[in-house]
Amino acid sequence: MQDFGAAFGLALHLIATGDDNLLEIVVLSLKVSFSALTLSCLIGLPLGAFLVVRPFWGRGVVVAVLNAMMGLPPVVIGLLVYLALSRAGPMGWLGLLYTPTAMIIAQTLLIAPIVAALARQVLEGLYSEYDEQFRSFGISRLRAAAALVVDGRYGLVTVALAGFGRAVAEVGAVIIVGGNIDHLTRVMTTAIALETSKGDLGMALALGIILMSIALGVNLAAGGLRSVAERQAYA
């Protein structure tokens, strides 16, 4: 076991020198999380807009389910994806278990409800302002949804950043479906858990510093976008 001072010094050295193993883990983490975020936005943003502009029977139930899924334990998602992709599962023939694709699927299922629920909240406020105008001009619901997405773009980017932050920090689901395989499915969160258990605190701290920097950057970007949106709203 390394002492903290030596471990912290090693962590800074690994970051400064661009250690190959470190960079490989970080790049895979970002690749998986960005891919999951893209899919989640393609699913969640239209779904959130649809729930705003298209009233239907049972809408309240759908909204309640989405809100509940925002707090769904990641290990449950991981277990469901594992069962679906295992050899005995309905998608086992695809051979995706313990691959980055399986991790992307798990993260997508985890953050798509978050994106959809938060997008609905952002767009619902706008729709209450524009509803009368949409009705007076006879604008279709599809065009109304598109207009809301364009006008609420800053808020929706903030939603996307929140989804990315949730995805990149995820460990439970990805370790179940990815297996934490070296040079294949090892991402920052699973590597931190493994290296800490091995006593290699230098690598764990290096990954932790990078992960915290990413989280801080996401929060700063979200705050900046909120400020821009507020200035435009009062302009």
Side-chain angles (χ1 to χ4, degrees):
M1 180 74 90
Q2 300 166 315
D3 65 80
F4 181 76
F8 191 76
L10 178 58
L12 295 179
H13 174 74
L14 291 173
I15 295 172
T17 58
D19 180 77
D20 290 340
N21 288 332
L22 180 70
L23 291 178
E24 181 183 49
I25 292 170
V26 172
V27 169
L28 179 61
S29 298
L30 295 177
K31 179 181 177 181
V32 169
S33 295
F34 272 120
S35 298
L37 176 64
T38 300
L39 292 174
S40 297
C41 288
L42 290 175
I43 297 169
L45 296 182
L47 177 57
F50 174 79
L51 290 173
V52 170
V53 303
R54 183 74 177 183
F56 58 91
W57 185 87
R59 176 182 177 274
V61 175
V62 175
V63 171
V65 169
L66 279 178
N67 290 335
M69 290 181 69
M70 291 177 66
L72 194 65
V75 290
V76 174
I77 295 292
L79 176 60
L80 294 176
V81 175
Y82 178 89
L83 293 174
L85 298 181
S86 64
R87 289 188 177 183
M91 300 175 65
W93 58 276
L94 294 172
L96 296 178
L97 195 61
Y98 302 135
T99 66
T101 302
M103 298 161 68
I104 292 170
I105 293 172
Q107 285 195 359
T108 299
L109 292 177
L110 180 66
I111 64 176
I114 297 175
V115 172
L118 294 179
R120 183 197 64 80
Q121 294 176 15
V122 170
L123 298 179
E124 199 162 46
L126 288 175
Y127 188 65
S128 63
E129 296 178 19
Y130 298 147
D131 185 29
E132 290 298 327
Q133 295 181 29
F134 289 154
R135 292 177 184 273
S136 63
F137 288 115
I139 295 176
S140 67
R141 297 191 186 278
L142 181 60
R143 291 181 61 191
L148 289 176
V149 170
V150 172
D151 196 60
R153 58 191 179 278
Y154 291 112
L156 294 179
V157 171
T158 301
V159 169
L161 289 174
F164 174 75
R166 183 67 180 86
V168 78
E170 160 51 26
V171 59
V174 296
I175 202 169
I176 292 175
V177 302
N180 199 20
I181 302 172
D182 195 18
H183 304 301
L184 181 61
T185 60
R186 185 161 297 168
V187 292
M188 284 187 284
T189 51
T190 60
I192 289 172
L194 176 66
E195 299 302 333
T196 302
S197 66
K198 288 166 52 180
D200 187 359
L201 298 183
M203 177 62 80
L205 276 172
L207 291 167
I209 291 170
I210 294 173
L211 188 58
M212 289 179 63
S213 299
I214 292 172
L216 178 61
V218 167
N219 284 320
L220 290 175
L225 285 170
R226 279 195 295 268
S227 298
V228 171
E230 289 173 359
R231 285 198 298 269
Q232 288 200 348
Y234 290 107

